Amino acid sequence: MGILVQAKGLSKTYGKGENEVQALKECYLYFTEGSFTAIVGRSGSGKSTLLHLLGGLDTPTTGNVEIEGRDIYQLSDSERTIFRRRRVGFVFQFYNLMPELTAYQNILLPMQLDNRKVDKAYLDEVISLLGLEDRLSHYAGELSGGQQQRVAIARALITQPAVLLADEPTGNLDGKSGAEVLELLHLSRKRFNQTLIMVTHDRQIAEGADRIITLEDGCISGDTGRKEP
């Protein structure tokens, strides 16, 4: 398996002077194709900052990130937005669905924003995988938390991204729904050969990953299960 995502000297500082906070400090990481990595650490350790930088949602103070060999921070803002929409899928703790749209419309939104034609066979496969066939006409407010997260996963998968970034995807769900969502993320990763990078506070979830990266005060304090590409 080759390297899909690579971070080199990645740092992020917020504020200035006495208010300066170094959220991430000189991180060097790589993630191979099709792998599942869990990122763990205490609250405020830099987990979400790292995930956002890996996906191009924030701008690093120093360092760079390469996805499929492209330095995403050498792209213009508009170029990075397009690249992110096409090659990176995001799943957040609070779903971030558009309440005025149906589940089906939420799933298709990234393709419509990109003016791209939907692969109907792939769309049907994603909907079937996530068990959403009878929920497509429902609005977010008519869905349970677990169902909303399934819709969010489908929306992340619809562009056929190379990497899927998940920030506490089970954190707002009960145990049963959380386990189901986790299983679906595993299934989608294997079926579509995606690289899954997940921030989680749940050690049991982390233990199911190929690799566990531990952050402490913005630094990598542990990296277990890593295999050379």
Side-chain angles (χ1 to χ4, degrees), residues 12 14 49 52-60 72-73 80 84:
K12 181 64 179 181
Y14 296 101
T49 297
H52 292 171
L53 291 174
L54 290 174
L57 289 177
D58 201 354
T59 305
I72 63 173
Y73 291 109
R80 188 163 60 252
R84 186 174 62 230

Side-chain angles (χ1 to χ4, degrees), residues 102-189:
T102 64
Y104 188 71
Q105 291 168 331
N106 267 288
I107 293 169
L108 295 184
L109 188 58
M111 300 296 286
Q112 293 173 340
L113 289 172
D114 213 19
N115 293 315
R116 293 168 66 194
K117 186 176 180 180
V118 177
D119 182 333
K120 187 63 167 57
Y122 177 74
L123 172 63
D124 289 344
E125 185 177 4
V126 168
I127 289 172
S128 175
L129 173 70
L130 297 173
L132 289 170
E133 295 94 335
D134 61 347
R135 291 290 182 269
L136 296 178
S137 63
H138 290 63
Y139 291 91
E142 300 171 328
L143 301 172
S144 68
Q147 290 166 349
Q148 288 186 62
Q149 193 62 295
R150 288 176 183 232
V151 173
I153 293 170
R155 181 184 59 190
L157 294 177
I158 193 60
T159 60
Q160 303 186 45
V163 58
L164 195 60
L165 303 180
D167 195 351
E168 300 280 10
T170 64
N172 203 38
L173 302 174
D174 60 50
K176 182 176 182 293
S177 297
E180 290 173 352
V181 163
L182 185 65
E183 179 62 24
L184 290 169
L185 287 170
H186 279 299
L187 287 173
S188 67
R189 174 179 70 92

